[in-house]
Amino acid sequence: MLTAKGLTVNGTVTKEEFNKFGLYHFKRFHTITFYFLLVVVFLIFAIPTSTMVELDVYIYFIGLYGVISLVSSLLVLLIGKTAVKVKSSKEYKSDTLIQNKITYTFSEYEIQQTFGRSAGYFEWINLRSVYEDKDMFRLYVSKSKAMILPKRFFDSELEIDQFKTLLRDQVDERKVKLM
């Protein structure tokens, strides 16, 4: 809701949304790990074999090593994503604040975060980075701590557009990654 004080949104972050946040947060790490393992595992098998077998047989082994490296990389990716979900679920259960209704008021001067009778204030300059995903915004105040704003907190697409405009106006453009 847009008022004279600014844009106000509120809601409660669900466990599923918190898990998605964890997956979004580690997405880059998972991608780098996947490709790194894909190449390294392939080379571990392919390089020693290149001097041991004939060229026509080596081509067969190249395909086999490609499959082995792909399967092992996918397995590590799956384990990593599962670990993030487990860790996020435990974190959500232990953090009673995130399970409560949170109200955010965004003005041109600050961000006010209110839950219960407690309130926190953040200056726009203190945001390290801002990301928009298909279903949420992540406003990082430190390397791993973020304000999670599911898009369902907003009443309309117009409010989401107003929020994006406010982000572009208040946060250094190098820190903002919007869709």
Side-chain angles (χ1 to χ4, degrees):
M1 171 174 46
L2 188 60
T3 64
K5 289 183 176 182
L7 179 65
T8 300
V9 298
N10 62 63
T12 304
V13 175
T14 65
K15 181 180 173 183
E16 290 76 24
E17 288 167 334
F18 197 75
N19 286 344
K20 275 189 179 182
F21 162 73
L23 291 173
Y24 290 143
H25 180 72
F26 285 103
K27 184 177 182 177
R28 183 171 178 226
F29 174 76
H30 287 153
T31 303
I32 291 168
T33 302
F34 173 81
Y35 287 112
F36 177 77
L37 281 175
L38 188 69
V39 171
V40 168
V41 170
F42 179 80
L43 292 176
I44 286 172
F45 284 106
I47 291 174
T49 309
S50 65
T51 59
M52 294 183 199
V53 296
E54 300 289 325
L55 180 61
D56 56 337
V57 177
Y58 185 65
I59 292 171
Y60 165 75
F61 280 109
I62 291 291
L64 178 64
Y65 299 151
V67 170
I68 291 171
S69 62
L70 180 62
V71 169
S72 60
S73 296
L74 286 172
L75 183 62
V76 169
L77 181 65
L78 180 64
I79 291 168
K81 287 187 174 192
T82 302
V84 167
K85 284 183 179 180
V86 169
K87 184 176 187 271
S88 294
S89 293
K90 286 182 180 179
E91 180 68 25
Y92 184 81
K93 287 177 186 176
S94 71
D95 188 348
T96 55
L97 293 179
I98 195 82
Q99 297 174 32
N100 293 319
K101 182 177 179 179
I102 301 174
T103 301
Y104 293 97
T105 302
F106 303 97
S107 72
E108 62 182 275
Y109 306 107
E110 66 189 3
I111 302 166
Q112 179 182 355
Q113 180 184 39
T114 309
F115 39 93
R117 296 186 313 168
S118 301
Y121 297 88
F122 300 91
E123 294 181 15
W124 288 104
I125 198 164
N126 292 333
L127 292 179
R128 285 182 56 118
S129 58
V130 176
Y131 295 92
E132 178 187 11
D133 300 301
K134 65 180 180 182
D135 52 355
M136 73 176 60
F137 292 96
R138 297 176 286 140
L139 285 67
Y140 283 89
V141 294
S142 72
K143 189 174 180 179
S144 60
K145 185 174 181 176
M147 288 179 259
I148 303 168
L149 286 168
K151 289 185 177 177
R152 65 177 178 77
F153 283 14
F154 296 87
D155 291 334
S156 66
E157 283 294 323
L158 179 61
E159 279 191 359
I160 291 173
D161 291 339
Q162 291 169 335
F163 180 64
K164 287 181 180 182
T165 300
L166 194 56
L167 287 171
R168 286 185 195 104
D169 292 345
Q170 301 302 325
V171 183
D172 183 343
E173 67 184 31
R174 294 171 295 187
K175 296 179 178 181
V176 179
K177 310 282 188 293
L178 301 176
M179 294 173 66

